[in-house]
Amino acid sequence: MTVSGRVAVVVPTYNEAGNLPELASRLFALDVGDLRLYVVDDSSPDGSAQVAARLSEQYGGRIEVISRDGKLGLGTAYVAGFARALERRPDFVVQMDADLSHAPEQTPEMLRKLDAAHVVVGSRYTAKGDVDPGWSLKRKFLSSFGNSSIRFVTGLRVRDATSGFKAYRADALRSLDMSACRCKGFGFQSEIAYLCQAGGYDVIEHPITFMDRTRGESKMSIRIVAEAIWKLTLLRFRSF
Ligand SMILES: Nc1nc2c(ncn2[C@@H]2O[C@H](COP(=O)(O)OP(=O)(O)O)[C@@H](O)[C@H]2O)c(=O)[nH]1
Ligand SMILES: [Mg+2]
């Protein structure tokens, strides 16, 4: 069943030139009526922005590239990308990673679930959700421990509190005050989930299997994780 309505997919990129062609081809093959892709690139040295611009020509201008001057972080990339995407008045907005860890094929089902909720989170930690079968026990433990710690400090009810794969009704996304977001890096994923919960929106989860990237490198670092936990703890105290 075709998903009708205008869908904006926002994807931040830093050195994802090798992943963008497959991402675009899988997204534009979906049974979604009107889909546009917004690539927010931070002057990637590997020329991701130029690759995105070439792909836009190939896909009839359905890709918009937002180029920033330097590596300013995933959180601020999303704030800029959402603002640009909302200018065109879409019905729905999707956020996902560029590295194909989030399967584009899950998007239509997540959009359909927006019939019954304001926000749908692609979740590893709900029934039938999973992580890459190649993950070691140690990595699984660290990921689920990190997730539980963040849920504990923030009071987030969503089981996958750090997921970067989400679909929003555009009106709900537009109403969030993202200027209040403190995390420049990946803590933004939890911070925006927190804004949705605090705003009283219905947030439901859709099971996904998170697959490791096969091209390029992760930008995750201890510094980024530490920033997330520290700032999310402050956020929790501010809200009292
Ligand atoms: N524009 C921008 N994108 C970023 C930045 N850091 C990470 N990304 C992108 O955010 C997504 C998730 O990052 P990734 O390194 O795969 O994180 P991981 O999956 O947690 O290891 C990918 O599409 C990255 O290219 C950044 O500073 N700026
Ligand atoms: Mg990744």
Side-chain angles (χ1 to χ4, degrees):
M1 195 182 65
T2 311
V3 174
S4 54
R6 290 151 58 91
V7 179
V9 179
V10 179
V11 171
T13 57
Y14 194 76
N15 286 344
E16 304 289 1
N19 287 311
L20 281 170
E22 183 177 339
L23 179 73
S25 115
R26 286 169 62 181
L27 277 171
F28 290 119
L30 297 175
D31 200 7
V32 171
D34 180 359
L35 187 143
R36 290 184 69 84
L37 174 60
Y38 296 82
V39 174
V40 189
D41 185 68
D42 282 359
S43 302
S44 297
D46 76 347
S48 301
Q50 291 74 6
V51 171
R54 269 203 307 280
L55 288 165
S56 189
E57 281 170 30
Q58 190 181 327
Y59 291 101
R62 285 189 288 164
I63 303 177
E64 229 174 278
V65 188
I66 299 140
S67 289
R68 307 196 304 166
D69 284 342
K71 192 170 183 311
L72 301 172
L74 170 89
T76 61
Y78 269 123
V79 174
F82 287 151
R84 176 69 71 84
L86 287 168
E87 279 172 18
R88 279 189 182 257
R89 308 228 144 249
D91 299 297
F92 309 109
V93 178
V94 175
Q95 62 159 98
M96 65 195 296
D97 292 354
D99 58 5
L100 302 162
S101 287
H102 301 139
E105 292 71 26
Q106 294 298 320
T107 308
E109 196 51 35
M110 288 168 68
L111 291 168
R112 274 183 216 109
K113 288 187 175 174
L114 284 175
D115 278 351
H118 298 98
V119 183
V120 176
V121 176
S123 178
R124 296 161 288 186
Y125 300 116
T126 190
K128 299 200 180 122
D130 211 346
V131 295
D132 196 303
W135 277 22
S136 66
L137 218 56
K138 182 178 162 202
R139 184 148 178 220
K140 277 188 188 159
F141 172 78
L142 282 176
S143 169
S144 90
F145 177 77
N147 191 62
S148 308
S149 310
I150 286 176
R151 285 183 73 210
F152 178 73
V153 297
T154 56
L156 270 169
R157 288 189 292 270
V158 64
R159 285 173 178 280
D160 195 337
T162 56
S163 174
F165 198 6
K166 297 188 184 81
Y168 306 85
R169 288 194 204 165
D171 291 343
L173 184 67
R174 188 177 281 113
S175 78
L176 305 179
D177 179 15
M178 280 177 251
S179 68
C181 287
R182 298 294 154 100
C183 297
K184 293 192 178 71
F186 111 115
F188 173 80
Q189 310 293 18
S190 310
E191 220 173 346
I192 196 161
Y194 185 85
L195 287 181
C196 293
Q197 180 174 308
Y201 290 115
D202 289 325
V203 180
I204 61 172
E205 293 180 73
H206 171 75
I208 59 153
T209 299
F210 180 97
M211 297 303 290
D212 275 340
R213 59 163 75 234
T214 57
R215 302 185 198 94
E217 277 165 25
S218 169
K219 282 101 224 168
M220 189 61 74
S221 66
I222 291 287
R223 200 179 61 79
I224 290 175
V225 176
E227 182 216 53
I229 293 177
W230 164 238
K231 291 201 175 155
L232 291 166
T233 307
L234 288 181
L235 172 106
R236 177 62 160 172
F237 282 111
R238 265 210 323 271
S239 72
F240 283 126

